[in-house]
Amino acid sequence: MTEPITANHISVSYSGKQVVTDVSFAFKPGSLIGILGPNGAGKSTLMKAMLGLIRKDCGTVQIGNDPISRFRKTIAYVPQRSNIDWNFPIIVKDTVLLGTYPKLGLFRRPSGKDKELALDCLKQVGMEEFADRQIGELSGGQQQRVFLARALAQKADYFFLDEPFVGIDVSSEEVIISILRQLKQEGKTVFVVHHDLSKVKSYFDDLILMNKELIDAGPVEQVFQEKNMARAYNRPMAIFGDPGVQL
């Protein structure tokens, strides 16, 4: 069973301009958590700051009573597709095999069991037939599935996905959300930067709603309210009737 994850007063700035201001929250293990907010709200920045991928002005992130840095081997991160070099010369099965590396240690090479695990993770996302294909030859949805398979190969307890549903086909989205729900059932904690309001209630247990500062954090029923959405987007809006809004 994983430990609860807590963020305390996270602030981040770029070139003297604050983009995340004093964000705090806590979530129990076994949660599927959406990070919502308008474009430029600092969603991806918050996620990267939580993981130590960018520098924070202040704030801490803990798992249980320990800093998140002690849990690096149990954390899987799937970045935005736009931040990945799809021209890098690597085939699909080797991309997934990279997920086993954090637990190998120095100078160890993947074993036969590691390779079997990578192929099994590809099967979970329905991509085993593409194992020998160059990663750059795949569609957006296929690429996203492969990177989810890489995360699965880490056997992580905490999953962080940055905009995994952007620019992908419906079939891939259904595969991905099904796997994320299964991870939640297994007691894993999953954070997802998300943009589609129409699927919030069906996808997530908990939400972080922000616009540089925290608007609210907690169960979907508590956070996904019109008054909160109006604060986040700086305008009145009907949360069930504005499918064109990009979060």
Side-chain angles (χ1 to χ4, degrees), residues 23 25 27 31-37 43-44 46-47 50 159-165 177 180 184 189-197 199-210 214-220 223-224 229 233 247:
V23 172
F25 54 79
F27 292 105
S31 297
L32 183 48
I33 304 150
I35 304 177
L36 309 181
K43 304 183 296 296
S44 296
L46 174 65
M47 179 172 282
M50 290 176 66
F159 291 79
F160 291 77
L161 296 90
D162 194 351
E163 298 276 17
F165 304 122
I177 192 60
L180 298 185
K184 179 194 73 170
T189 304
V190 184
F191 287 86
V192 180
V193 174
H194 190 63
H195 71 286
D196 186 350
L197 283 175
K199 297 176 180 177
V200 167
K201 283 194 168 183
S202 61
Y203 278 11
F204 301 112
D205 306 304
D206 297 289
L207 296 176
I208 299 166
L209 178 62
M210 61 182 295
L214 184 70
I215 304 300
D216 200 359
V220 170
V223 177
F224 198 56
M229 303 306 291
Y233 289 88
L247 301 185

Side-chain angles (χ1 to χ4, degrees), residues 24-216:
S24 300
F25 54 79
F27 292 105
K28 63 183 180 181
S31 297
L32 183 48
I33 304 150
I35 304 177
L36 309 181
N39 290 334
K43 304 183 296 296
S44 296
T45 298
L46 174 65
M47 179 172 282
K48 292 174 184 177
M50 290 176 66
L51 297 174
L53 299 175
I54 59 174
R55 184 176 179 178
K56 300 186 291 292
D57 294 338
C58 61
T60 60
V61 182
Q62 293 177 288
I63 294 178
N65 296 317
D66 295 310
I68 195 171
S69 58
R70 295 187 181 180
F71 295 83
R72 293 191 185 280
K73 292 183 179 180
T74 67
I75 294 170
Y77 171 58
V78 180
Q80 291 184 21
R81 288 181 53 250
S82 60
N83 293 336
I84 298 169
D85 180 7
W86 298 108
N87 294 317
F88 188 80
I90 188 171
I91 61 174
V92 166
K93 64 183 178 184
D94 289 341
T95 300
V96 178
L97 192 59
L98 290 174
T100 67
Y101 279 45
K103 295 183 179 179
L104 289 180
L106 290 174
F107 309 117
R108 283 188 56 198
R109 296 179 63 83
S111 65
K113 287 186 177 180
D114 292 321
K115 294 176 181 179
E116 289 177 8
L117 171 63
L119 289 175
D120 181 64
C121 291
L122 274 177
K123 290 179 182 177
Q124 290 183 54
V125 301
M127 289 294 294
E128 66 272 22
E129 294 180 6
F130 297 84
D132 295 311
R133 190 78 61 87
Q134 192 82 10
I135 188 73
E137 297 175 357
L138 305 180
S139 70
Q142 291 169 338
Q143 290 170 342
Q144 199 69 55
R145 291 200 219 182
V146 170
F147 269 73
L148 177 56
R150 186 186 70 168
L152 294 174
Q154 288 185 234
K155 293 187 174 180
D157 292 321
Y158 304 89
F159 291 79
F160 291 77
L161 296 90
D162 194 351
E163 298 276 17
F165 304 122
V166 170
I168 70 172
D169 56 279
V170 173
S171 177
S172 291
E173 183 164 345
E174 290 175 350
V175 168
I176 291 170
I177 192 60
S178 176
I179 291 172
L180 298 185
R181 287 169 175 154
Q182 180 60 41
L183 291 172
K184 179 194 73 170
Q185 292 298 321
E186 294 171 4
K188 313 296 186 181
T189 304
V190 184
F191 287 86
V192 180
V193 174
H194 190 63
H195 71 286
D196 186 350
L197 283 175
S198 68
K199 297 176 180 177
V200 167
K201 283 194 168 183
S202 61
Y203 278 11
F204 301 112
D205 306 304
D206 297 289
L207 296 176
I208 299 166
L209 178 62
M210 61 182 295
N211 189 348
K212 298 184 179 179
E213 64 181 7
L214 184 70
I215 304 300
D216 200 359

